[in-house]
Amino acid sequence: MKTQHSSAVSRVTALIAGYALSLSCASIAYPSFAAQSAESVSSSSCDASYVTAKNLQVHQRSALLPSYTQVAASLSAEAWMKVALECPSRYAEGIMYSALAVLSSGLDESGVLAQAAQDQATAQTALSEESTLSINVLSSRSYQALAQAEDRLRFSYEVIATRDASVENAGSYALSASQASDIFAVHAQKQSTSYKDSRERIYNASQLIQYSCQDGATGLSMPLTASLELDTALTQLRSLDEDSASHSSASLASQASASLQNAIALRVRSHLLRAFALGAPQLSELYLD
């Protein structure tokens, strides 16, 4: 057993070292690559990020010691977020696997919820930066879809807050969704000269009141709050996947654009983290096409 542990430690340690090296070398510009096309650079960055994420995922699942599983999971969460940003066609996959990796990194429910809150705070700060409002990384329609999903979530939590005092943080969750909805709407307006706010503000509450522990979008059993967060995340991922052809990978983006893309990804991941922490089944194949 000692030999097996030593082997596992060596494999994970080597992988960690390799991943750290890949991050440190990512910003180095080698003259011999100057002639490469932008498409080639993007594809190369995407392929490298995807291979790294898959390798870390394998080590996360096969590590013999819990401590090394957690280390690999933490690195895997970071690597899959990089996949989402570097590979537009793998956006949903990257964010989904990143969220699931966070769950395997040794955090309990409160820790996962704290990570979700941190994701949201980081995203809100970046999205609110004046310098990002003129940057075009998504279409106005996609921003509107993000805003609409957040607005529906805001309404749902407001209804819950008035009807069920046992649901913790419903008021603060409603406020966070309201703030995100408003800032996404501002970005949508900046990207279109014919912008029209599509948010309804008040929605049909019958499904909230009559909820029977079965998520309407997936048919899976889960608590109401988990269902709300999951449906928000999946709606946003579908919208972003549809728009993936129009936005470039983060490897080709300016620093401000990359920060904005990361903020959007963090906001979506936060909903997945909260959904999983609150009781949604933690199986990627249930949600990825």
Side-chain angles (χ1 to χ4, degrees), residues 22-80:
S22 71
L23 292 178
S24 65
C25 293
S27 61
I28 299 175
Y30 292 95
S32 59
F33 292 142
Q36 287 183 322
S37 66
E39 291 79 5
S40 175
V41 173
S42 176
S43 176
S44 176
S45 297
C46 169
D47 291 344
S49 295
Y50 184 71
V51 169
T52 297
K54 290 293 287 185
N55 286 339
L56 283 166
Q57 189 177 60
V58 169
H59 282 269
Q60 168 196 330
R61 294 171 177 173
S62 62
L64 298 177
L65 295 174
S67 59
Y68 286 96
T69 297
Q70 293 166 10
V71 170
S74 296
L75 292 174
S76 181
E78 181 182 349
W80 279 113

Side-chain angles (χ1 to χ4, degrees), residues 99-145:
L100 290 171
V102 170
L103 299 176
S104 300
S105 63
L107 298 177
D108 58 12
E109 178 183 323
S110 62
V112 175
L113 291 175
Q115 180 63 58
Q118 181 179 325
D119 282 0
Q120 292 193 351
T122 301
Q124 189 67 22
T125 298
L127 287 165
S128 302
E129 289 288 339
E130 186 69 28
S131 61
T132 68
L133 295 179
S134 60
I135 298 173
N136 179 17
V137 300
L138 291 177
S139 67
S140 178
R141 185 174 67 175
S142 288
Y143 276 125
Q144 287 186 65

Side-chain angles (χ1 to χ4, degrees), residues 53-238:
K54 290 293 287 185
N55 286 339
L56 283 166
Q57 189 177 60
V58 169
H59 282 269
Q60 168 196 330
R61 294 171 177 173
S62 62
L64 298 177
L65 295 174
S67 59
Y68 286 96
T69 297
Q70 293 166 10
V71 170
S74 296
L75 292 174
S76 181
E78 181 182 349
W80 279 113
M81 282 295 281
K82 190 175 180 183
V83 167
L85 299 175
E86 298 283 2
C87 312
S89 64
R90 294 188 180 277
Y91 196 86
E93 180 182 7
I95 294 178
M96 180 66 69
Y97 282 136
S98 177
L100 290 171
V102 170
L103 299 176
S104 300
S105 63
L107 298 177
D108 58 12
E109 178 183 323
S110 62
V112 175
L113 291 175
Q115 180 63 58
Q118 181 179 325
D119 282 0
Q120 292 193 351
T122 301
Q124 189 67 22
T125 298
L127 287 165
S128 302
E129 289 288 339
E130 186 69 28
S131 61
T132 68
L133 295 179
S134 60
I135 298 173
N136 179 17
V137 300
L138 291 177
S139 67
S140 178
R141 185 174 67 175
S142 288
Y143 276 125
Q144 287 186 65
L146 295 175
Q148 179 84 11
E150 296 286 354
D151 191 55
R152 184 180 291 276
L153 182 64
R154 181 270 313 162
F155 172 80
S156 298
Y157 275 125
E158 287 178 348
V159 171
I160 291 172
T162 60
R163 296 179 62 89
D164 188 353
S166 68
V167 178
E168 295 183 5
N169 302 315
S172 61
Y173 289 173
L175 177 60
S176 175
S178 177
Q179 292 172 338
S181 179
D182 287 344
I183 195 61
F184 281 137
V186 170
H187 280 273
Q189 184 177 16
K190 291 289 185 179
Q191 299 303 324
S192 174
T193 56
S194 58
Y195 169 78
K196 182 179 180 180
D197 195 340
S198 61
R199 293 174 292 174
E200 298 175 31
R201 303 296 185 175
I202 298 176
Y203 303 85
N204 188 336
S206 60
Q207 290 184 333
L208 293 173
I209 298 170
Q210 301 168 9
Y211 187 72
S212 59
C213 294
Q214 186 176 47
D215 177 60
T218 65
L220 299 171
S221 297
M222 65 188 74
L224 174 58
T225 50
S227 173
L228 295 175
E229 295 287 350
L230 179 65
D231 289 352
T232 300
L234 295 181
T235 297
Q236 292 178 329
L237 285 176
R238 282 193 296 271

